[in-house]
Every structure is written in structure tokens, then in C-alpha cells.
Amino acid sequence: MRIDILTVVPDLLESPFNHSILQRAKDKGLVEINIHNIRDYSTKKHKNVDDYQYGGGAGMVLSIEPIAACIDSLMSQRKYDEVIYVTPDGEILNQGLCNQLALKGNIIILCGHYKGVDERVRELYITKEISIGTYVLSGGELAAAVLVDSVVRLLPGVLNDETSALTDSFQDNLLSPPVYTRPPEFRGMKVPDVLLSGDFNKINAYREEQAIQRTKERRPDLLDDFLNME
Ligand code: ADE
């Protein structure tokens, strides 16, 4: 998978992809992530990338020209499956959408800033608009980092234990059951006996029951989808 991210604050994306699972995915050649500074595509004297909004009002708007120049350049080199704009008014990201995106080959992610981007960018290029939640961030970079992390970890070969993405919270519309490690007892708090029993049928049954219980308590909205799947 190849991911090209367009931003006016590339420094914000310096670290998230250079550690842990994401770094390993890059090292294994499973994903290539390229960060593009929109400013590099500005033809203005002071490399401006934004301007006042027509009609007045507070806040600057990212101009179409440098974004178009960057996207056109990328599109002249290869085909893209999606051009995603991360924005608070997009479709809310969930595990199902992550699964869909993990099947794509090449994607572009555009990060907004200030008041957003000129609407014509959305009309001309954007195939999907994604929000990471019902709140407003200062810019799209952190949303892009969340999106990339949640998708790349699903690519085959990225996780060491192939089954572990399948048992994530949400993968089957259930939250994960509680997990424990050593010691078996801490300040009188004991690990449930069943987990020490070595009986995998019992352990699986316990985990499913706990997952359902936890989902019932914390996210009853998910439970309907799980019951419909069974
Ligand atoms: N940009 C600003 N807020 C955002 C959000 N909640 N999701 C995606 N992009 C954003």
C-alpha cells in the first residue's frame, strides 16, 4: 500500500509513523508513506497556501492551486484508489471503514487547516471524507495519523500474530474482554481461575461472555450489530 499525505504542517507527522508497528510495516515494505508539504507547491512569493474567504468571516481557507498542483503531480505518476479529505464533517471512522481501506492500493490523504479547504478541491478530487470523531481538531494531521495507524495495522503481515487484529475490539462488533499477565495475584486481586486452567474451550467461552458483558455495559449500540451477525 502507498499512502501520500498532503499537509501544511509536515512536522506534525514526523513521529507517528516512525515507531513500533508502523515503522515495522515500512521496514517490511508493506506500506510506503510519503509526506508532502503543500507549501512546496505554492507559486506565491512568500509560499502562501491560504487566503481570506470570499464573503468575509474569520479564518483563512487553504487555496486550491498548491493542492491541485501536488495532487496532479501525484496522479500523473500513478493511479489512486481514494483521495481522502480528513474533516470533522466527514463520515465517522469505524473498524468497518478501516477494513475497507486496508484493501486499497494507493491512497492520498489531504489534511485541512484553518477554516478548511476551498470547496472546489472537494468537488474536483476528493472521493471520501472522513472524520475521526465528533470534535474539532486544530488540523487534519492528527486525524490522518489515526487513520493511517488504524488501516496499516490491518495489512496482511504487519502484525506478528496474524490473528491478533481479528480479536481486536470492534472487529466483530464486540469490545475486547479483560486481559491479564503475571503475577497471578496482586494486592489480593486474583486473575480469574479459568484463565489459568489451560482449558481453551472454557477460556474462549469466558472471553466471549466477558466481551458481550462489557459491550452490553459500555456500548449497547454495538451489541445489536453483533447479535444480527450471529
Ligand atoms: N480535522 C479537524 N477535526 C477533525 C476530525 N474530528 N476528524 C477529522 N479531521 C479533522
Side-chain angles (χ1 to χ4, degrees):
M1 182 177 218
R2 176 184 167 118
I3 304 175
D4 289 279
I5 307 179
L6 279 59
T7 168
V8 290
V9 199
D11 287 354
L12 271 175
L13 292 169
E14 264 292 302
S15 178
F17 310 130
N18 294 338
H19 304 279
S20 183
I21 289 171
L22 273 278
Q23 180 64 52
R24 207 170 63 214
K26 290 196 298 180
D27 291 345
K28 284 185 174 174
L30 299 169
V31 68
E32 181 185 331
I33 302 171
N34 301 286
I35 317 284
H36 305 274
N37 189 346
I38 295 169
R39 217 168 282 284
D40 293 342
Y41 293 83
S42 172
T43 52
K44 302 261 169 66
K45 198 163 130 205
H46 298 292
K47 295 280 169 200
N48 292 3
V49 289
D50 57 350
D51 212 331
Y52 297 101
Q53 47 177 317
Y54 279 121
M60 305 293 274
V61 175
L62 284 178
S63 308
I64 189 166
E65 293 106 322
I67 294 172
C70 183
I71 296 181
D72 287 348
S73 161
L74 290 170
M75 284 183 161
S76 71
Q77 296 168 60
R78 68 195 64 78
K79 255 186 81 58
Y80 284 90
D81 302 303
E82 296 285 359
V83 182
I84 297 168
Y85 177 44
V86 276
T87 171
D89 54 8
E91 170 184 1
I92 301 278
L93 183 65
N94 61 21
Q95 196 64 39
L97 186 48
C98 296
N99 290 341
Q100 280 174 33
L101 292 173
L103 300 173
K104 307 286 180 186
N106 300 327
I107 62 174
I108 290 174
I109 302 176
L110 170 64
C111 304
H113 241 269
Y114 318 116
K115 264 281 177 244
V117 295
D118 188 306
E119 186 64 19
R120 290 165 293 185
V121 171
R122 298 166 87 154
E123 285 170 20
L124 197 56
Y125 295 109
I126 302 301
T127 58
K128 228 179 223 323
E129 304 197 335
I130 296 178
S131 164
I132 64 158
T134 312
Y135 44 83
V136 180
L137 301 164
S138 316
E141 287 74 16
L142 298 182
V146 167
L147 178 62
V148 169
D149 186 293
S150 59
V151 170
V152 169
R153 62 191 298 286
L154 298 174
L155 300 178
V158 169
L159 296 183
N160 275 339
D161 176 358
E162 290 285 3
T163 62
S164 86
L166 297 176
T167 57
D168 281 343
S169 275
F170 302 120
Q171 203 58 266
D172 51 8
N173 275 312
L174 288 181
L175 301 182
S176 291
V179 293
Y180 300 86
T181 185
R182 282 182 285 191
E185 183 173 342
F186 180 73
R187 296 185 187 166
M189 301 163 79
K190 286 189 175 154
V191 175
D193 285 340
V194 58
L195 295 178
L196 308 176
S197 70
D199 182 335
F200 288 105
N201 288 335
K202 272 198 194 148
I203 291 173
N204 284 339
Y206 165 82
R207 285 184 171 151
E208 175 157 342
E209 173 217 308
Q210 287 289 315
I212 293 172
Q213 184 60 28
R214 192 160 270 203
T215 310
K216 214 183 258 176
E217 285 165 13
R218 300 181 184 199
R219 293 292 306 274
D221 55 308
L222 295 176
L223 207 58
D224 292 342
D225 293 335
F226 171 74
L227 295 173
N228 289 336
M229 274 167 44
E230 275 199 320

